[in-house]
Amino acid sequence: MQGFINTEQQLLESLASGNRKVANQVYQQNYPIVKGWLAKNGGSESDAADLFQEAMVVLFGKAQDTGFRLTCSISTYLMAVCKHLWYKKLQKQSRDPVFLKENIGTDEDEGGIGYEDDVKVHEEREIHYDMLNAALDQVGEPCRSLLKAFYHNDKSMQEITAAFGYTNTDNAKTQKYKCLARLRKIFYSMADN
Amino acid sequence: MSINNNIWEIAEAFVAGTLSETDLKELNSRVASDIEFAAEFSESTNLLKSMKANGKQKRFRNLLSEIHESEIKNPKAKTGRRIELPAHFWRTAAVAAGVALLTSTITYTILNPSIKKNDYQYVTISREVAGLRESQKQLNQNQKKLETDIKKINQPPAAHVRFTGTGFAINNEGYFVTSNHVVEGADSIYIQDRNGEYFKANKLAFDAESDLAVLKIARKSFHFGKGEVPYTFATGKSGLGTNIFTLGYPKNDLFYSSGAISSSNGFDGNELQYTLELPVGHGQSGSPVLDEKGNVIGILTAMGGDAEANTYAVSSQALISLIHDQLSDSPIRINKTNKLHGLSREQQIEKMQAFTFSVKVYKK
C-alpha cells in the first residue's frame, strides 16, 4: 500500500517515535495472529488485546534505544513476547503443581531472540514507573496536574501557562521546577524505603 | 548559562542535549568537585528522563487502545456504515429476480423465430439469463447466509474460553471420567470422538480434592463404541516400578506414552495419587493410566513444575470411592471384564481408541 514503510528497521524507528500510522500497521498485521493463538490457549478476546498491547509496549521500550536492532522480524518478536507473557501469567495463576489444563506446549523454537531479558527489563521499568506515578499522586495540586500536563500529555509551557492561569511562561517554568523538586524528594524517599 | 542557575534548568538542558560545550565543561568540573551537587544533579536528570519516558510510553499505550477501539473493534465506523437488510427483503428480492428471469425467458421465446437469422443475439440473451441466474443464486446465497447468521445467534458466543482435557469411559452407557479441574466452572462440556463428532455431557459427581469428575453424555442410549469397555479398574494400589502407559489428547490427535510408577504417593505425599515417570503434555489431564494387563490404575491429573519432570495421577481407588460415595442412589456399573490382557500394545491401543476422547469445555 502506498505510503507504508517497508523495512523493519524503519518501521521500528517510526514506532519508537509513536507514529500512529505505523503503530496501526503493525497492530493490524499482528494482532489477529496473537488473537488466534490465544483463543487456542485459553485466553479471551480482552486478554488478547491486553497481551498484544503489552508486547507492543515491550517492543516500543526496546526501540527507544537507537542502537537497538531486531535479530528477527517484528512479527516473530511480538509473538514470542506474547507467548512468554501468557505462560508467565498462567504460571502465576496456577498453584503448584501446574495442571495440564490447556494445550500450551511451545511449538516453535524461539531461542536466540532474547525476548526473555527484554520482558524482565520491561517489568522492572514498569515497577519503576508505578513508583513514579505513586509519587506523582502524592505531590499535591497544582503540581500533579501541571507535571502530568507537561510530561504525560505533552503540553507546551505556553499551553500550560494559559491553562493554569500563570502570568507568563517564566512563572510557569519556575512553578514546574518547584514541583519537580518536590517530586524528587517524594520519589527518592520512597525508593530508599 | 551559568551552572549557578536553577539545577532543573541545567538538568533539563542536559537531558535534552542542548548544553553548550563551555557549560558542559563547567558542569563537569562542578560535579567533580561538589559531591552534594553531583548527587542532586544525577537524581534530577534521572527523574527527568523517567518522567519523559513514562509520559511517552503512556501516550503510546493510549495510542494502542485508541487504535484497538477505532480500527479493530469498530472498523466499520471509518469505512462507512453498512445497512443490514432485514430477512424479508432478501425474499422479496429473490422473487423479483425470479420474475425478471421469467420475463427474459419470455422475451427469448418471443424472439426465438428471429434467432436463426441472428445467432449473435441469441448468445447475448442466454448470457443475460445466465447473469440473472447468477444474481438470483447470489440472492439465495445471501438469504441462506442470513439464515445461518440468525441461527448462529442461538448458539453460545464464540468468545467463550475453550479448555481441553481428556476423558475415558467408565462403561459403554455414556458414563466417563475426567479431571475435575478440566470441567470446573464450565458452562458447557462436550466430548469430541475420534470422528470429530461432538456430544454434550453433564457433570454427575466431582471431588476437588482428588481432582476427579464423573460425567454422562446427555444423549439417551449413547454408546462410545461397540461392545463393553475393554479395560478394568484396579481396586488396590499397584506397586513401585509397575510398567504403565497412557493415551490422551494433548492436541487433536491421540497421543501415547509409557513409563513406570516411581512413587506410590503423589505430590506432597498425597496418598490418593501416584507419582509417575511418564512424559505428558497439557491437555492430557483426565487420561487413563493403565498397567500392562489393561487395568486402569489411575487418572492423569498434573505434572510437576519446572524443576522436576514428575507426573501425577489420581489412583483408580479414588474414582471407585467417588462413585460409591456420591452416586450410590443410581449406581454406575463398573466394568469387570478385561479384554486387553495378553494383547500386544498396538492391539490394546486399538481397542481403547473408541473409549478415550478429547473433552472440550466452554467457560465464561
Side-chain angles (χ1 to χ4, degrees), chain B residues 79-347:
Chain B
T79 52
R81 249 181 53 207
R82 255 178 61 195
I83 300 164
E84 297 293 334
L85 291 167
H88 62 79
F89 171 84
W90 292 113
R91 244 167 270 142
T92 318
V95 170
V99 170
L101 180 71
L102 203 66
T103 317
S104 70
T105 316
I106 292 165
T107 315
Y108 160 68
T109 319
I110 294 166
L111 290 176
N112 203 16
S114 63
I115 282 165
K116 279 166 199 158
K117 292 174 201 163
N118 197 338
D119 280 356
Y120 177 74
Q121 201 179 4
Y122 174 74
V123 176
T124 316
I125 289 169
S126 75
R127 257 201 205 138
E128 267 174 20
V129 171
L132 273 171
R133 238 182 231 141
E134 270 306 304
S135 64
Q136 195 185 17
K137 209 168 114 195
Q138 190 68 46
L139 283 170
N140 283 337
Q141 273 173 357
N142 283 343
Q143 197 187 338
K144 264 193 197 139
K145 192 185 167 295
L146 210 68
E147 280 164 5
T148 49
D149 281 352
I150 290 163
K151 269 187 205 151
K152 269 185 200 154
I153 295 166
N154 298 325
Q155 288 169 356
H160 278 189
V161 182
R162 204 187 75 194
F163 291 85
T164 73
T166 303
F168 66 100
I170 298 172
N171 57 41
N172 202 15
E173 285 139 42
Y175 293 92
F176 69 97
V177 60
T178 187
S179 294
N180 182 54
H181 74 258
V182 170
V183 293
E184 198 175 20
D187 280 342
S188 48
I189 305 162
Y190 292 85
I191 70 153
Q192 190 180 22
D193 68 11
R194 58 176 165 167
N195 303 321
E197 250 189 285
Y198 283 88
F199 298 97
K200 197 176 185 340
N202 299 319
K203 199 155 44 164
L204 299 180
F206 67 94
D207 179 33
E209 200 200 336
S210 62
D211 193 29
L212 288 175
V214 175
L215 298 93
K216 188 177 189 298
I217 303 295
R219 188 195 279 187
K220 276 182 187 162
S221 63
F222 172 88
H223 300 294
F224 294 104
K226 284 177 195 155
E228 195 42 73
V229 294
Y231 41 78
T232 47
F233 292 82
T235 49
K237 259 201 161 179
S238 302
L240 279 185
T242 303
N243 284 330
I244 48 152
F245 70 97
T246 187
L247 284 179
Y249 282 90
K251 297 244 163 94
N252 289 326
D253 296 313
L254 192 61
F255 185 82
Y256 163 83
S257 60
S258 67
I261 296 177
S262 51
S263 168
S264 52
N265 288 336
F267 180 69
D268 215 7
N270 188 338
E271 288 179 14
L272 292 172
Q273 298 182 341
Y274 289 106
T275 303
L276 309 175
E277 195 192 332
L278 183 72
V280 296
H282 291 277
Q284 274 178 265
S285 274
S287 298
V289 180
L290 294 95
D291 63 17
E292 290 182 317
K293 294 172 191 149
N295 285 308
V296 174
I297 64 123
I299 297 97
L300 282 186
T301 175
M303 63 182 182
D306 295 346
E308 46 203 338
N310 287 329
T311 301
Y312 301 100
V314 187
S315 80
S316 52
Q317 283 176 293
L319 172 65
I320 294 169
S321 325
L322 174 68
I323 292 171
H324 278 304
D325 295 348
Q326 290 195 25
L327 300 167
S328 50
D329 294 343
S330 49
I332 297 174
R333 196 178 46 75
I334 297 172
N335 181 45
K336 295 264 164 35
T337 324
N338 193 313
K339 286 184 269 181
L340 297 178
H341 188 69
L343 296 183
S344 73
R345 189 55 50 85
E346 292 95 317
Q347 289 168 323

Side-chain angles (χ1 to χ4, degrees), chain A residues 91-162:
Chain A
Q91 235 167 33
K92 234 182 243 174
Q93 280 174 352
S94 62
R95 293 153 292 163
D96 239 12
V98 186
F99 282 138
L100 313 169
K101 204 172 323 196
E102 311 94 14
N103 304 316
I104 61 165
T106 41
D107 38 16
E108 284 154 57
D109 180 29
E110 279 141 4
I113 300 174
Y115 59 87
E116 276 182 324
D117 290 340
D118 296 353
V119 170
K120 243 181 233 164
V121 169
H122 169 74
E123 281 169 350
E124 277 163 18
R125 195 165 44 219
E126 288 300 295
I127 292 168
H128 181 72
Y129 287 168
D130 282 348
M131 258 172 60
L132 195 59
N133 289 330
L136 197 57
D137 281 336
Q138 289 176 33
V139 85
E141 293 295 356
C143 280
R144 185 172 163 276
S145 301
L146 195 156
L147 292 176
K148 276 196 161 185
F150 186 76
Y151 289 104
H152 293 179
N153 302 326
D154 208 18
K155 299 281 183 229
S156 69
M157 283 320 286
Q158 282 79 12
E159 285 172 296
I160 288 172
T161 305

Side-chain angles (χ1 to χ4, degrees), chain A residues 7-24:
Chain A
T7 81
E8 298 258 300
Q9 199 56 40
Q10 281 173 314
L11 267 179
L12 265 186
E13 279 161 25
S14 305
L15 197 68
S17 67
N19 180 312
R20 190 190 191 281
K21 206 166 90 182
V22 169
N24 184 36

Side-chain angles (χ1 to χ4, degrees), chain A residues 50-118:
Chain A
D50 289 348
L51 190 68
F52 180 70
Q53 289 180 17
E54 205 59 32
M56 285 285 278
V57 173
V58 173
L59 182 66
F60 175 80
K62 283 294 283 183
Q64 294 306 308
D65 175 6
T66 47
F68 172 62
R69 295 282 179 277
L70 265 185
T71 53
C72 62
S73 73
I74 289 178
S75 298
T76 309
Y77 184 84
L78 285 173
M79 196 65 223
V81 171
C82 280
K83 285 184 180 179
H84 186 69
L85 289 173
W86 184 244
Y87 295 149
K88 267 193 131 166
K89 195 184 164 192
L90 285 183
Q91 235 167 33
K92 234 182 243 174
Q93 280 174 352
S94 62
R95 293 153 292 163
D96 239 12
V98 186
F99 282 138
L100 313 169
K101 204 172 323 196
E102 311 94 14
N103 304 316
I104 61 165
T106 41
D107 38 16
E108 284 154 57
D109 180 29
E110 279 141 4
I113 300 174
Y115 59 87
E116 276 182 324
D117 290 340
D118 296 353

